[in-house]
Amino acid sequence: EVHLVESGGGLVQPGGSLRLSCATSGFTFDNYAMTWVRQAPGKGLEWVSAITGSATNTYYADSVRGRFTISRDNSKNTLYLQMSSLRAEDTAIYYCAKNYGSGRSFPDFWGQGTLVTVSS
Amino acid sequence: DIQMTQSPSSLSASVGDRVTITCRASQGISSLLAWFQHKPGKAPTPLIYAASSLQNGVPSKFSGSGSGTDFTLTISSLQPEDFATYYCQQYDTYPLTFGPGTKVDIK
């Protein structure tokens, strides 16, 4: 059974940094691309970033490019999102998701999310 | 970037109703579209991928159609567990993008 568990969320001041982790199990991690999606309070889903199975390619939403870095450790079956220069508008629940395939595809399994609050 | 729009933004319906939600892409995306159901406090769940393929375990009351720029999600007979927000997502071109969502609530 596929499991995705996010951690690392919390309260951070504007301009600060935070690293989210997503521990996975139940599938061959390096065979699949992975995705981060977020939902700000009262807003809809926003695709944030994706990384291919081999970590060769990474992709970002315009709103986070240059501030966020997605990475993965295939030896630990873990996905990461390094967030820096955080802004109030980055406040959201961040979901980690497994993609349907190794490349560009839709997220077919999701974690329960971790809350990031950017506030002074 | 490809912009996704959905209509309506919200709707009220009764148990047993047939419900249709529309999603439109700002440029052609072939059939590279997925639909998700999202309930408060829960993780989103995929319903449909490739515009019309039913995700494993999803009941057949859900169906999708369309290609190019115009897509629809239909729920054939609304049940209490179907009251939720529904999102479309294109996965044709990075950055991938979601529609703004359609909230389905009880009339």
Side-chain angles (χ1 to χ4, degrees):
Chain A
E1 186 180 357
V2 173
H3 280 291
L4 305 165
V5 179
E6 303 93 339
S7 61
L11 176 63
V12 60
Q13 292 189 337
S17 298
L18 209 57
R19 188 177 85 155
L20 305 184
S21 299
C22 174
T24 76
S25 61
F27 63 102
T28 305
F29 185 64
D30 55 5
N31 281 358
Y32 295 90
M34 298 293 293
T35 292
W36 288 99
V37 175
R38 68 185 181 183
Q39 184 178 36
K43 303 292 186 181
L45 299 177
E46 180 186 13
W47 180 87
V48 173
S49 183
I51 185 168
T52 53
S54 60
T56 302
N57 297 104
T58 58
Y59 306 91
Y60 298 94
D62 295 343
S63 58
V64 307
R65 187 176 293 112
R67 301 187 299 121
F68 289 11
T69 302
I70 191 171
S71 63
R72 62 193 295 160
D73 185 334
N74 287 350
S75 70
K76 296 182 178 179
N77 295 339
T78 301
L79 176 72
Y80 302 100
L81 186 67
Q82 178 68 47
M83 305 184 295
S84 59
S85 302
L86 283 162
R87 307 165 179 167
E89 55 265 35
D90 296 317
T91 294
I93 297 172
Y94 285 74
Y95 296 100
C96 153
K98 166 193 166 293
N99 277 23
Y100 184 70
S102 61
R104 188 179 68 238
S105 187
F106 70 97
D108 62 349
F109 286 93
W110 299 59
Q112 291 302 308
T114 187
L115 177 62
V116 172
T117 303
V118 183
S119 175
S120 54
Chain B
D1 300 0
I2 297 176
Q3 308 302 317
M4 306 299 293
T5 57
Q6 287 182 233
S7 61
S9 57
S10 65
L11 66 90
S12 295
S14 300
V15 172
D17 283 354
R18 180 183 181 88
V19 168
T20 298
I21 299 168
T22 298
C23 174
R24 175 166 289 175
S26 61
Q27 64 190 70
I29 58 170
S30 184
S31 296
L32 299 179
L33 183 105
W35 288 96
F36 297 87
Q37 179 190 70
H38 193 199
K39 298 179 180 179
K42 302 286 190 180
T45 57
L47 301 172
I48 301 286
Y49 66 98
S52 60
S53 296
L54 200 63
Q55 178 70 356
N56 286 346
V58 173
S60 59
K61 61 182 172 181
F62 293 98
S63 64
S65 66
S67 68
T69 60
D70 295 309
F71 303 86
T72 59
L73 173 71
T74 299
I75 309 171
S76 61
S77 177
L78 203 65
Q79 297 302 305
E81 63 270 19
D82 302 329
F83 293 96
T85 301
Y86 293 85
Y87 296 90
C88 60
Q89 185 209 19
Q90 67 83 14
Y91 53 98
D92 178 81
T93 303
Y94 284 113
L96 308 189
T97 42
F98 286 93
T102 296
K103 185 176 182 180
V104 177
D105 60 22
I106 302 172
K107 182 182 286 184

